């Protein structure tokens, strides 16, 4: 039990960087190939058949889906975390979260711990063998001296004793974004509400179908309490993350956007798994919705993509979420960019660099910001926009994520299996 608990808190989701793919070298095109963003929206987004009719030896565009934000410009970005919130401010924000999401639970500072190392402070052990992490209220100065790095805020009321109404949250110390577990889904799959840590719908429910927000079916599914349509569930999730979720967060420059929903089944009891993107100025940050073994990026750099998901186990309620968002501040890096590599040209670049011995099935295209990974505990990085082209190689049965820089046409990729 202790191993399971620590593994979940430390890693949440493991993406191993093991595999390599086709031989793609970086290509940079002159800016003269760029198109004004407004022309791009007219020529491509409003006329998808123009893309579908393009003929490539190694790309199948028959089922391509394109998402492009409603923008007329974009910027390179400088992302960082710098907060003037005191430790007491953070505790107060966490109290508001707990009281909002767990109304039957009584907040107690005794349940709020610092999951991480504090110099000179050792972890004790509960009677059940679980580690008892340092209490936040008892180590305020030490945590502040760490500049809120090297750890997370952990609110866990059932580490030692099960109560009638327990609460679990694991939160980024800068943004207070993270994981929340109420336990309805866990009670369905595990038969109890005990020890909420470690439960994840991806590992317990079976995903049967995926629908994107702009193409929802009329289907309804029986959740733990009643039947709810896909549209009703999506409407509730969109409203929740646009309003209730943001209302108790201290930093909301970067906002979540519900993009898709998975229909999940556990022995005939259904649930909805919502997939979310982080967005700024209407443009999504790169994202990852599925588990898998992921290769290194072809250009040798390391980039961040965010796994954000939420789960509905019963009607009109979000029972679980796992959100990643480490930045409190966003600044424009340079002037506005209004000219862009057209999607047609991005596909040309992709086709030219991929092997001609396979026909890749291009499924989904998105326009995203791609942050470079930040150095450990620095929470500071930069991001540039790119075409994110998701395709499937039927020969090796891997997904190829190809990125073409929206400004200069540089190409890179990774594989997922």
């Amino acid at each position: 039990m202790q191993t399971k608990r620590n593994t979940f808190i430390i890693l949440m989701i493991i993406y191993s960087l093991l595999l390599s793919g086709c031989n793609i070298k970086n290509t940079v095109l002159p800016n003269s190939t760029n198109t004004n963003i407004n022309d791009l929206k007219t020529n491509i987004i409003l006329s998808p058949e123009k893309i579908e009719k393009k003929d490539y030896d190694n790309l199948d565009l028959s089922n391509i889906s394109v998402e492009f934000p409603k923008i007329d410009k974009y910027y390179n970005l400088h992302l960082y975390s710098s907060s003037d919130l005191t430790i007491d401010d953070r505790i107060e924000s966490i109290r508001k979260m707990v009281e909002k999401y767990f109304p039957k639970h009584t907040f107690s500072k005794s349940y709020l711990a610092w999951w991480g190392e504090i110099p000179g402070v050792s972890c004790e052990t509960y009677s059940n063998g679980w580690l008892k992490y340092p209490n936040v209220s008892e180590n305020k100065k030490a945590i502040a001296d760490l500049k809120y790095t090297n750890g997370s805020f952990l609110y866990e009321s059932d580490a030692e004793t099960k109560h009638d109404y327990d609460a679990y949250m694991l939160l980024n110390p800068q943004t207070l974004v993270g994981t929340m577990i109420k336990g309805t889904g866990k009670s369905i799959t595990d038969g109890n509400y005990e020890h909420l840590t470690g439960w994840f719908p991806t590992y317990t429910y079976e995903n049967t179908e995926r629908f994107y927000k702009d193409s929802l079916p009329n289907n309804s599914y029986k959740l733990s309490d009643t039947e709810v349509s896909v549209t009703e569930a999506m409407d509730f999730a969109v409203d929740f993350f646009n309003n209730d979720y943001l209302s108790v967060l201290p930093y909301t420059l970067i906002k979540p956007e519900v993009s898709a929903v998975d229909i999940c089944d556990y022995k005939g009891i259904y649930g909805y798994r919502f997939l979310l993107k982080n967005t700024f100025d209407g443009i999504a940050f790169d994202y990852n919705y599925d588990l898998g073994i992921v290769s290194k990026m072809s250009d040798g750099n390391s980039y961040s993509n965010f796994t954000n998901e939420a789960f509905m186990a019963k009607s009109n309620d979000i029972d679980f979420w796992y959100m990643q968002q480490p930045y409190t501040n966003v600044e424009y890096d340079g002037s506005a960019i209004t000219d862009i590599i057209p999607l047609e040209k991005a596909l040309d670049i992709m086709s030219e660099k991929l092997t001609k011995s396979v026909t890749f099935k291009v499924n989904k295209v998105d326009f995203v910001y791609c942050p470079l990974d930040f150095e450990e505990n620095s929470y500071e990085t930069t991001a540039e926009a790119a075409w994110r082209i998701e395709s499937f190689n039927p020969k090796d049965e891997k997904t190829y994520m190809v990125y073409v820089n929206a400004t200069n046409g540089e190409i890179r990729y990774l594989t997922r299996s």
Side-chain angles (χ1 to χ4, degrees):
M1 180 66 74
Q2 178 62 43
T3 300
K4 177 183 177 184
R5 176 173 178 252
N6 282 346
T7 300
F8 176 76
I9 296 175
I10 295 170
L11 300 177
M12 293 293 189
I13 296 179
I14 300 175
Y15 296 106
S16 301
L17 302 176
L18 296 176
L19 302 181
S20 60
C22 300
N23 182 22
I24 300 181
K25 296 182 179 179
N26 294 340
T27 300
V28 179
L29 299 180
N31 287 335
S32 60
T33 63
N34 292 8
T35 297
N36 183 272
I37 288 180
N38 290 312
D39 294 336
L40 179 81
K41 289 189 287 187
T42 300
N43 295 336
I44 295 179
I45 304 306
L46 299 182
S47 303
E49 66 277 4
K50 184 176 181 181
I51 295 297
E52 293 174 4
K53 290 179 179 178
K54 291 207 67 169
D55 187 23
Y56 296 100
D57 292 336
N58 57 350
L59 300 182
D60 176 0
L61 306 179
S62 60
N63 291 311
I64 189 172
S65 170
V66 181
E67 285 192 43
F68 190 79
K70 297 177 180 179
I71 59 171
D72 56 12
K73 61 181 178 296
Y74 67 95
Y75 298 82
N76 294 330
L77 300 181
H78 175 213
L79 308 164
Y80 63 98
S81 281
S82 177
S83 172
D84 57 1
L85 292 180
T86 67
I87 187 71
D88 288 322
D89 292 334
R90 296 167 206 249
I91 293 172
E92 177 62 14
S93 291
I94 294 170
R95 180 190 66 78
K96 290 178 180 178
M97 290 182 191
V98 171
E99 291 180 351
K100 183 176 185 65
Y101 301 130
F102 304 90
K104 295 182 178 180
H105 171 80
T106 301
F107 174 83
S108 172
K109 292 181 181 179
S110 66
Y111 298 139
L112 182 58
W114 178 254
W115 186 83
E117 294 185 6
I118 298 178
V121 178
S122 59
C123 293
E124 300 177 5
T125 304
Y126 288 112
S127 59
N128 61 9
W130 282 28
L131 286 179
K132 184 177 182 180
Y133 298 106
N135 181 268
V136 170
S137 294
E138 296 172 2
N139 295 277
K140 290 182 182 179
K141 185 179 185 303
I143 294 171
D145 288 345
L146 290 170
K147 301 185 185 301
Y148 307 101
T149 61
N150 250 355
S152 302
F153 289 118
L154 171 64
Y155 190 91
E156 184 177 34
S157 65
D158 65 349
E160 183 174 34
T161 304
K162 172 71 183 131
H163 307 88
D164 289 338
Y165 303 104
D166 278 305
Y168 179 91
M169 301 190 81
L170 182 67
L171 305 173
N172 180 290
Q174 303 286 343
T175 60
L176 302 186
V177 169
T179 301
M180 186 280 306
I181 306 174
K182 292 183 179 178
T184 300
K186 184 181 187 302
S187 72
I188 294 168
T189 60
D190 296 4
N192 62 70
Y193 284 86
E194 297 177 6
H195 301 313
L196 297 175
T197 181
W199 187 82
F200 215 92
T202 302
Y203 303 139
T204 51
Y205 280 77
E206 178 186 357
N207 287 355
T208 60
E209 290 183 274
R210 175 170 297 173
F211 299 101
Y212 289 92
K213 189 168 59 176
D214 58 355
S215 58
L216 299 177
N218 295 321
N219 303 10
S220 295
Y221 296 88
K222 178 67 166 60
L223 307 188
S224 62
D225 59 341
T226 190
E227 192 169 277
V228 178
S229 72
V230 178
T231 301
E232 290 170 335
M234 177 63 78
D235 288 345
F236 180 87
V238 169
D239 181 71
F240 175 83
F241 283 102
N242 284 346
N243 297 289
D244 285 9
Y245 176 79
L246 294 175
S247 68
V248 288
L249 287 178
Y251 300 101
T252 57
L253 279 174
I254 296 176
K255 304 179 188 302
E257 178 184 302
V258 184
S259 174
V261 59
D262 286 344
I263 312 304
C264 302
D265 177 28
Y266 182 81
K267 298 181 178 180
I269 302 175
Y270 287 88
Y272 291 113
R273 175 182 177 239
F274 302 103
L275 310 174
L276 300 95
K277 304 173 184 176
N278 293 333
T279 66
F280 175 72
D281 279 355
I283 301 175
F285 288 90
D286 193 17
Y287 56 92
N288 177 32
Y289 288 158
D290 299 297
L291 299 173
I293 299 174
V294 182
S295 73
K296 293 181 179 180
M297 190 66 74
S298 61
D299 67 358
N301 292 321
S302 182
Y303 297 81
S304 296
N305 58 34
F306 301 104
T307 299
N308 294 329
E309 65 176 86
F311 191 73
M312 175 183 284
K314 64 180 180 182
S315 60
N316 298 321
D317 183 64
I318 302 297
D319 182 60
F320 163 97
W321 65 71
Y322 172 74
M323 307 286 282
Q324 295 178 312
Q325 202 297 87
Y327 311 115
T328 63
N329 300 78
V330 184
E331 294 179 352
Y332 297 136
D333 186 4
S335 57
I337 302 170
T338 57
D339 290 332
I340 188 174
I341 295 290
L343 178 53
E344 293 167 276
K345 176 58 67 175
L347 291 169
D348 290 345
I349 297 169
M350 176 179 174
S351 175
E352 178 185 346
K353 294 303 175 181
L354 288 176
T355 177
K356 300 299 189 292
S357 63
V358 175
T359 300
F360 294 83
K361 297 181 179 180
V362 180
N363 299 319
K364 186 169 177 55
V365 178
D366 212 338
F367 186 83
V368 298
Y369 278 126
C370 299
L372 285 163
D373 270 351
F374 50 79
E375 294 183 8
E376 186 176 4
N377 297 322
S378 73
Y379 295 114
E380 183 170 6
T381 189
T382 58
E384 296 184 357
W387 289 107
R388 176 188 188 272
I389 307 172
E390 180 177 336
S391 61
F392 180 73
N393 181 344
K395 193 168 184 179
D396 63 13
E397 298 186 335
K398 294 178 183 177
T399 296
Y400 282 67
M401 303 300 303
V402 176
Y403 298 85
V404 178
N405 187 289
T407 307
N408 61 26
E410 184 174 307
I411 185 172
R412 57 187 171 82
Y413 81 105
L414 58 76
T415 66
R416 178 177 293 114
S417 57

